Amino acid sequence: DTAVSQTPKYLVTQMGNDKSIKCEQNLGHDTMYWYKQDSKKFLKIMFSYNNKELIINETVPNRFSPKSPDKAHLNLHINSLELGDSAVYFCASSHIYYTGELFFGEGSRLTVL
Amino acid sequence: AQSVTQPDIHITVSEGASLELRCNYSYGATPYLFWYVQSPGQGLQLLLKYFSGDTLVQGIKGFEAEFKRSQSSFNLRKPSVHWSDAAEYFCAVGFSSSNTGKLIFGQGTTLQVKP
């Protein structure tokens, strides 16, 4: 039973399209995150939600919009996809948000053509 | 600005040899420190963490790390590497003053294990 699950695992799409990545955690954690890993494997935080409240919103284009319908789910919607959006997007969760002890999903590889 | 540096992009060791992966951070206070491992095609798994107290911390899979405040370092060690340890290793820093859980990651070290 996967603790943090993301769908889809792979996503190939054309520039200009809109796509979503879904994330669910069954760990009972209050905080969820989206991280982006680029082609050089550099990981950077994008967003964080604690109990459905946005607490981190890094310098991310407003084409990216997270949505947390409940504390077990954090989805990422991306509008007007660009080539530079190609990356692996990781969802993560944590029990206590200020410590940064994260549990990661397996990632969603987005390829924009 | 806070930063994390992993000086070694790629390391190759022989199976059974000892391992040390370096991590240095830049931050004005004592941070929370983490090592994560990423196997190919997988998410990141927490190996160990340091919040406070004993500066030598033990983790899973036989790994340990030592926090040295004077050197702003948190190096990861393993006495005897197994072939299954081949993976990407990330050092990460969290900030006790931020109350957000934000982590800053190093650029990663790729570990290759020779038979």
Side-chain angles (χ1 to χ4, degrees):
Chain A
D1 199 19
T2 305
V4 181
S5 59
Q6 301 176 223
T7 54
K9 192 166 183 177
Y10 299 96
L11 192 51
V12 181
T13 188
Q14 300 287 331
M15 277 176 53
N17 285 350
D18 304 338
K19 290 294 177 186
S20 292
I21 306 171
K22 295 185 176 181
C23 179
E24 175 182 6
Q25 54 94 4
N26 61 8
L27 297 167
H29 290 165
D30 290 334
T31 309
M32 296 184 72
Y33 309 80
W34 280 109
Y35 276 81
K36 178 180 179 181
Q37 187 175 46
D38 64 21
S39 59
K40 296 184 178 179
K41 298 193 177 180
F42 181 65
L43 272 157
K44 188 166 188 227
I45 191 166
M46 301 173 70
F47 302 103
S48 171
Y49 274 75
N50 183 54
N51 266 324
K52 302 194 297 175
E53 179 185 351
L54 182 67
I55 56 172
I56 295 177
N57 184 351
E58 290 291 291
T59 309
V60 176
N62 58 15
R63 299 182 294 104
F64 290 78
S65 52
K67 183 169 285 189
S68 181
D70 55 62
K71 71 176 191 177
H73 296 84
L74 180 62
N75 304 323
L76 183 65
H77 187 77
I78 315 170
N79 290 325
S80 303
L81 278 156
E82 300 177 357
L83 293 176
D85 297 332
S86 295
V88 181
Y89 293 85
F90 285 99
C91 178
S93 71
S94 67
H95 175 55
I96 302 173
Y97 69 87
Y98 55 82
T99 63
E101 185 176 354
L102 307 181
F103 291 77
F104 282 84
E106 293 190 343
S108 297
R109 180 176 293 276
L110 171 65
T111 303
V112 182
L113 303 175
Chain B
Q2 302 101 344
S3 65
V4 180
T5 302
Q6 293 179 242
D8 305 304
I9 302 299
H10 191 110
I11 282 185
T12 300
V13 300
S14 297
E15 190 168 16
S18 63
L19 171 71
E20 182 169 29
L21 302 182
R22 297 182 290 164
C23 174
N24 293 96
Y25 66 89
S26 172
Y27 180 55
T30 299
Y32 300 142
L33 296 160
F34 306 84
W35 276 98
Y36 284 85
V37 60
Q38 182 181 23
S39 297
Q42 300 295 312
L44 283 76
Q45 181 184 22
L46 180 66
L47 280 177
L48 46 76
K49 61 185 184 284
Y50 173 79
F51 290 162
S52 65
D54 192 346
T55 56
L56 184 64
V57 293
Q58 303 295 322
I60 62 171
K61 304 184 182 186
F63 286 92
E64 67 177 26
E66 186 172 13
F67 169 55
K68 292 187 177 180
R69 185 190 306 273
S70 61
Q71 298 176 18
S72 297
S73 69
F74 188 57
N75 295 347
L76 181 71
R77 300 193 294 249
K78 187 169 184 178
S80 177
V81 168
H82 188 261
W83 64 266
S84 60
D85 293 325
E88 192 79 22
Y89 290 80
F90 291 94
C91 180
V93 170
F95 304 100
S96 54
S97 61
S98 74
N99 286 338
T100 64
K102 172 181 174 180
L103 290 185
I104 293 182
F105 283 84
Q107 61 267 53
T109 297
T110 302
L111 174 64
Q112 184 178 1
V113 180
K114 293 190 300 184

